[in-house]
Amino acid sequence: MIQDRMKKIQEIQYSVGLKRSNTEKVKSSSVEIFTDLMRSIQRCQFEQLKMMEEQQRAAEKQAADLIKELHQEITELKKRNTEMNSSLSSRPHTKNWTEIRIDSDVNLIPLYRALTQLKNTLNKKFYQTVSMGLKFVQKYAVDVTLDPDTANPYLILSDDGKQVSDGDIEQDVPENPKRFDESLSVLGKQGFSSGKFYYEVLVKGKSNWDLGVAKESINRKEDISPSPEDGIWNVILRNENQYKACDNSSILLSLKVKPEKVGVFVDYEEGLVSFYNVGSSSHIYSFTGQTFTEKLYPYFNPGLNDKGKNSNPLIITHVKLN
C-alpha cells in the first residue's frame, strides 16, 4: 500500500508536469499562429493564455492537496504497520485512489475557436472603420489651431495658427517648458483624452514632413525619435516620395497616389490612429491596439527648409465632408 501510494504521487507529479508542458506548447503555438495579427488581438490572446495559466495553478493546487493527503495516509500506514506488525485486519480506512487523476490534456479546440472568433470580430471592427473611409471619420472633424508656446524657435506660425513652416532662422521667443527646443515640432492647442477626433493638413509641394499625434508628456527638450514607444504616432515623408509609418520599427509605405492633403483620425478608447489620403479617399496607414493613458495632441513637423526646396508650409484646412 505504501508503494502504491508513492507510485500514485509520482503519477500526479508527472501529470502536473505534462500539463505544464502542454500549457507551454499552447503558448508557443498561439504566438506562432497570431504573430501577424494586430496588437489588439495579441492583448486578447494574452487574456486567453492568462486564463490557461489560472487553470494550471488550480491543477497544481489540486495536486498539492492530493499529495499532502497521500503523505498523511503513508505516515498513518507506516505507524499502523509498526504497531500491528503488518496486520491487514485492522488497516486504517483509506481513500480509493485508483480513479484519482489530474487531467493533463488541454482541450485546444475551444481555445482556438475563441481566438479565431476574437480575430474575426476585431478584424471586422477595424476594417469597417477603414472601409468606410473619409465618409466615416470626417464626422469627427475638430478645429485645430497651432500652439505657439510649443513651437520650436525656428518655426514660423501664421497669425491664425493654421500654418507652420521652417523659417531657417531662429526666432526670438520666450523660454517655455512646453516648447520643443531640439525637434522642429509644434502641437495643436487642444488635447484629447477621450472620444474620436479628426483633422486635415495640406502637404502639397513639400518634400519632407511629419504628421500625427503625440502624448502630452512627450520629451520636448531633446531630439525625438518618433515611435509609439516614445509617445508619437506619425506618418512621415522623406526625399519627396519616401513615405513611412513610424511604428516601433519603421514601415515603408507604398502609396499609389501621392497625397496632397492628409487626414488624421483618432479613436482614443479603441487605441486607433489612422491616416488618409483625402484627395483619393484612400487609407494610408493605421496604428491599432494602442493604449492611451494621457492627453493626445495633434503633432506637426514641417521638415527643414532645405534651401527653399521644402519651404511650403503645412496648412491645417477646413474639413469638407465628401
Side-chain angles (χ1 to χ4, degrees), residues 46-96:
F46 173 78
E47 294 299 325
Q48 294 291 333
L49 295 177
K50 183 178 178 181
M51 178 182 69
M52 291 180 60
E53 289 174 347
E54 290 175 352
Q55 293 175 345
Q56 170 68 25
R57 287 194 292 271
E60 289 180 349
K61 184 179 184 303
Q62 179 190 4
D65 291 342
L66 293 175
I67 290 172
K68 181 180 179 181
E69 189 174 348
L70 281 165
H71 277 303
Q72 290 174 344
E73 289 198 359
I74 289 171
T75 301
E76 182 64 22
L77 284 169
K78 287 181 178 179
K79 180 180 177 182
R80 291 294 182 94
N81 184 58
T82 301
E83 293 175 351
M84 306 187 71
N85 195 22
S86 301
S87 175
L88 297 178
S89 60
S90 59
R91 67 183 182 182
H93 175 71
T94 58
K95 182 185 293 189
N96 181 2

Side-chain angles (χ1 to χ4, degrees), residues 102-115:
I102 298 295
D103 183 14
S104 61
D105 295 323
V106 178
N107 189 351
L108 301 182
I109 294 177
L111 175 62
Y112 286 146
R113 283 177 179 171
L115 289 173

